[in-house]
Amino acid sequence: WKKIVVDEIPAKIDLTKHFKNNNDVACYGYAEINSPAEREINLRIGTDDGCKVWLNGEQVHANNASRGFTLDDDTVAAKLVEGKNTLLVKVLQGGADWEMCVRIADRENRPIDLRAKDKN
C-alpha cells in the first residue's frame, strides 16, 4: 500500500505517477469516510479504465470498461452509515493513461459537507 494525498479539487489521482508497471494491471484505492449521520449519497466515479467499488464491504458498482478518464462518468446510489465508512475502489489498466476520482454527493449530485449533520 502507498499513501497518496491529493490537494486538488476534484481529487483526481494519476496512477501512472505512482506505479511503474502500468500495463495490464489493477490498482486498489482505499479511503475511510467519517459521516456524522446516516445519509443517502451518490458516488460520482471517474476511472481510466474499468472499476469495481465496495462501500462498507458491499460491492455497489462494477464497470468493466476500456475508456479514458471522464470526471463523474458513473453515478451510483449508496448510503453512508453514521461513523466510519470504508470505500475500496479497484481500477483496471490496459495501457496508456491511468486515473481515478471518486466524489461524494447528495442524491441531487450536490457536494455534501461531511463535517455537519443533515439539516433535513
Side-chain angles (χ1 to χ4, degrees):
W1 292 96
K2 189 185 266 196
K3 184 174 184 174
I4 298 173
V5 177
V6 180
D7 293 326
E8 302 93 37
I9 295 177
K12 180 174 81 169
I13 299 171
D14 183 348
L15 297 166
T16 59
K17 291 181 179 178
H18 301 281
F19 301 100
K20 292 182 185 201
N21 180 6
N22 54 24
N23 288 308
D24 300 318
V25 295
C27 174
Y28 287 86
Y30 174 81
E32 292 180 354
I33 304 155
N34 291 306
S35 179
E38 182 177 290
R39 63 179 75 210
E40 302 287 325
I41 62 162
N42 281 339
L43 294 173
R44 311 286 309 268
I45 304 160
T47 57
D48 176 347
D49 292 305
C51 65
K52 282 188 179 181
V53 179
W54 294 265
L55 182 62
N56 296 322
E58 177 183 339
Q59 184 177 323
V60 295
H61 180 64
N63 187 346
N64 190 18
S66 178
R67 63 183 179 188
F69 177 85
T70 301
L71 189 65
D72 302 338
D73 217 10
D74 302 329
T75 299
V76 178
K79 184 180 354 182
L80 295 178
V81 298
E82 182 176 356
K84 183 173 93 170
N85 295 265
T86 59
L87 180 71
L88 182 67
V89 181
K90 177 182 181 180
V91 184
L92 303 174
Q93 168 61 340
D97 294 337
W98 192 20
E99 300 167 305
M100 69 175 286
C101 180
V102 179
R103 303 191 304 160
I104 299 172
D106 66 16
R107 287 294 169 90
E108 287 76 41
N109 290 316
R110 297 176 301 218
I112 58 175
D113 184 351
L114 290 171
R115 297 170 294 183
K117 288 189 180 253
D118 281 332
K119 294 181 174 112
N120 298 340

